[in-house]
Amino acid sequence: MTLRTCCVLFALGLLAAAPARPNVLVIVADDHAAYVAGCYGNSAVHTPNIDRLAAQGTLFTRAYCNAPVCTASRQSFLTGKLPHSVGVTLLPTRLGDDQTTLAEHLKRAGYETAALGKMHFNGPSRHGFDERIDLPEFRRQQRAHPPRAVPSDTAVLPAWKPFTAADRATLVFDRECKAVNDPHGSERLALEAIRERAGGR
C-alpha cells in the first residue's frame, strides 16, 4: 500500500467519523491580487482550480489586506486584530504565544486544524494548529522534487521580464513612517493624502 493510499484512507476515516459540518479551507497566497484570477472577472488569465474552489465555496468581493507586509497581514488575519494590536508589524516579528488564533477557535468548535505552508510565525509555536508544515518541510520537499522550469513558449500578458534595479521602490519609509530617501517631496504628499482621508485630523 502506497503512502498516498494510506493518506486517502486515513482522511476518509476521519470524514466518516466526524459529525456533518462544513470543512473550512483558507488559502492565502503571497503577492496574488484578486484581479489576476478568473473568478474575479479576469478573462486573460486561466485559473481553473481557483475558479472551481470559488464556485463551490465562498468568494469574498469586499475584502482587503490589513498590511502590505506578509507577516503582519497573516497574523492579523489569524488573530482578527490589526497588526499594531497583535504587535506584528515587521517581517521578522514573532507572533506572541499569548495571541489567540483562528485555529484555537476552530479547535474549540471540534475541528482538527493544520497550517500548511509559509505561516511567518517566526518561531516554533503551532499557535493552535494540530499540525504545522512550514518552511523547513517545504525546503526538504523542494530539494527532493525540484520545481519544473516554465516552458519558454508559455504566453504571458504583458510580456514577462525579470526585475531590475530600476524596478525597485523609489521611496523607502522607516519605522516612524518618515521617508528615508525623498528626493521629490513625496513624504509630504503622502502625509497630506493621509490627513485628507482622515478628515483633516
Side-chain angles (χ1 to χ4, degrees), residues 69-166:
V69 180
C70 52
T71 303
S73 181
R74 277 180 170 78
Q75 305 334 329
S76 178
F77 176 80
L78 283 172
T79 61
K81 298 177 181 177
L82 292 171
H84 69 278
S85 298
V86 178
V88 178
T89 56
L90 302 171
L91 283 173
T93 309
R94 186 175 180 167
L95 179 63
D97 290 336
D98 61 330
Q99 297 296 325
T100 304
T101 66
L102 176 63
E104 292 166 291
H105 290 293
L106 288 169
K107 281 179 64 125
R108 282 196 285 272
Y111 281 89
E112 293 181 32
T113 60
L116 311 172
K118 182 174 146 186
M119 298 305 296
H120 272 186
F121 291 143
N122 295 328
S125 177
R126 289 185 174 191
H127 293 288
F129 289 99
D130 296 317
E131 184 73 29
R132 179 178 168 199
I133 299 174
D134 209 326
L135 196 55
E137 294 82 6
F138 170 74
R139 287 188 175 141
R140 278 195 296 275
Q141 173 74 9
Q142 203 169 35
R143 280 193 299 272
H145 306 281
R148 294 176 299 184
V150 176
S152 60
D153 62 343
T154 300
V156 293
L157 296 172
W160 183 85
K161 67 179 183 70
F163 285 109
T164 66

